[in-house]
Amino acid sequence: MNDSLTLQPEHAGSQAVTLDDIAARCGVGRTTVHRALHGAPEVNEQTATRIIAVAAEMGYDPALHDMARRMAKRRFGKTELTGVVGFYFPMHLYALNYFHRLFTGIMEAVVEEHYELLIIPDADKMDSLSPSATRGNVDAIITLSSPWVFQQTLLKLRATPGFGTRPVVSLFNPMPGCAQVRCDDFAGGKASAGHLLDLGHRHLLHFHRSRLDENNQVSVQRVEGYLSAYRERGLDPGPLLHDADLRRVTRGDAIAEPLLAALRAHPEITAILTPNDLSAIGAWRTLRENGWRVPEDISIIGHDDTDPFLNDHQQNLLTSVSVPLEALGREVACLAIRMARERLATHEPIILPVSLSVRASTAPAPR
């Protein structure tokens, strides 16, 4: 089959160079050209060197040839790995340390597996489709997007012949038809609340996003962990565990208004469980500006352990749940690639452990 029948080069008026073209110029067979360009030992060194030089001189683009071969096989219901993984992620996370650590782990795994990564920012759109994905140019997709954002995208991807049943792996939140890699948020919530309860605190404040938490299993699991910590100590969380609505968890200053409102309504609160370190730092600054001392009056626990709150000696003061973000990134990339290579349709959820890093932002409850 002549590859140029299926693909045209970007340069107007020129025909894509094929293996047949190179074979005709070199006076050898097409198979010999293919073997030489792929370093096969069957072709002697002198012939291989000449073929490679001619291919370069003619402007042969192996990417076009590989794409043509994949398109031809697809016509007969066959697929071939492309060596590319797509990564959907929300744009509002891009500048955060949280994202950088996840991305580092993903990239390390992709490089080790000799794969490439296609970045697909979803910008919180419900219908963002990547042409590369719909044309069959990715073997699998990793998504960090929220289920309520990505679910419609996934349904549309599944309906395209170019993507179909290829694997999708979700980071953190479960989604129908997707594998999942997450950390143990239940254990993180239980450890953080348990630490405060063991210090004598009883009235704790946590934050949620009421519109989204129904679908956000990260938040659901953390709250279940808080409740479990109370119950294990023989305490009824009903009158003791308070909550406040936090609409923007990626902006530390967004916590100020709901925090102050909660403390005015419930002055008995002596400790705060925040959704991430940025929110914890924002809470600390808000408390300090309004006359509260941390941890003498109110203790604070962050989550993720990504953003330190430093003292004059550059020591991190913030107690936080440490999440192995680099390991999560590596795990999700390795799983996506393994599922693509082994043609796996499903996989059991992979759950990584977390730990509580106790520092100076928590102390015994005030008397």
Side-chain angles (χ1 to χ4, degrees), residues 107-355:
M107 283 302 302
E108 286 176 352
V110 166
V111 170
E112 287 178 8
E113 295 293 335
H114 304 288
Y115 254 68
E116 295 178 359
L117 189 68
L118 175 68
I119 303 296
I120 312 169
D122 66 18
D124 286 342
K125 294 178 181 177
M126 295 290 189
D127 58 352
S128 53
L129 290 180
S130 162
S132 293
T134 58
R135 293 170 187 164
N137 295 331
V138 298
D139 296 335
I141 281 177
I142 298 165
T143 178
L144 185 57
S145 303
S146 302
W148 52 91
V149 172
F150 189 72
Q151 197 62 52
Q152 291 301 314
T153 299
L154 178 59
L155 290 174
K156 292 182 179 182
L157 280 172
R158 293 291 189 214
T160 62
F163 189 80
T165 60
R166 297 185 185 198
V168 177
V169 185
S170 173
L171 260 169
F172 302 114
N173 278 298
M175 277 189 257
C178 300
Q180 181 193 16
V181 175
R182 65 179 179 88
C183 61
D184 194 341
D185 283 290
F186 175 85
K190 185 176 179 180
S192 54
H195 171 63
L196 293 171
L197 294 174
D198 290 343
L199 288 172
H201 297 274
R202 291 298 179 262
H203 289 272
L204 311 183
L205 172 66
H206 76 96
F207 296 85
H208 66 95
R209 294 177 293 171
S210 56
R211 182 177 66 85
L212 304 178
D213 275 358
E214 180 181 348
N215 296 313
N216 189 335
Q217 287 300 306
V218 171
S219 296
V220 169
Q221 289 297 311
R222 288 187 196 175
V223 173
E224 288 297 322
Y226 303 154
L227 298 175
S228 178
Y230 272 99
R231 290 167 182 153
E232 279 195 1
R233 290 160 177 81
L235 299 170
D236 178 8
L240 301 176
L241 183 62
H242 308 271
D243 64 84
D245 189 6
L246 180 60
R247 299 181 184 278
R248 291 291 301 274
V249 299
T250 57
R251 281 184 49 188
D253 57 355
I255 203 170
E257 183 178 342
L259 170 60
L260 293 174
L263 292 177
R264 285 193 293 266
H266 300 282
E268 66 273 21
I269 291 171
T270 60
I272 301 169
L273 298 155
T274 62
N276 54 49
D277 290 349
L278 288 177
S279 296
I281 292 169
W284 195 325
R285 289 170 175 160
T286 299
L287 291 171
R288 187 170 58 188
E289 291 166 2
N290 287 272
W292 280 281
R293 299 169 301 164
V294 176
E296 291 85 355
D297 300 322
I298 295 181
S299 290
I300 298 177
I301 294 184
H303 204 100
D304 300 330
D305 210 13
T306 55
D307 296 87
F309 191 78
L310 302 176
N311 63 11
D312 293 338
H313 302 289
Q314 299 301 299
Q315 296 169 319
N316 185 10
L317 303 178
L318 182 62
T319 296
S320 185
V321 176
S322 297
V323 177
L325 293 169
E326 292 89 350
L328 282 164
R330 292 179 61 87
E331 199 68 51
V332 74
C334 287
L335 178 58
I337 294 169
R338 183 164 72 251
M339 290 182 70
R341 286 173 172 167
E342 299 178 12
R343 302 290 196 264
L344 300 178
T346 60
H347 197 281
E348 290 295 315
I350 295 176
I351 305 173
L352 299 189
V354 300
S355 61

Side-chain angles (χ1 to χ4, degrees), residues 65-115:
H65 168 71
D66 291 342
M67 194 179 301
R69 186 178 65 253
R70 291 196 300 271
M71 291 172 65
K73 286 189 173 184
R74 200 176 303 145
R75 292 195 188 102
F76 297 96
K78 300 178 180 179
T79 59
E80 184 176 271
L81 295 179
T82 65
V84 179
V85 170
F87 180 31
Y88 274 86
F89 72 93
M91 281 296 292
H92 69 270
L93 295 180
Y94 179 73
L96 304 181
N97 290 335
Y98 174 93
F99 175 81
H100 290 171
R101 288 180 54 189
L102 274 174
F103 188 70
T104 296
I106 291 172
M107 283 302 302
E108 286 176 352
V110 166
V111 170
E112 287 178 8
E113 295 293 335
H114 304 288
Y115 254 68

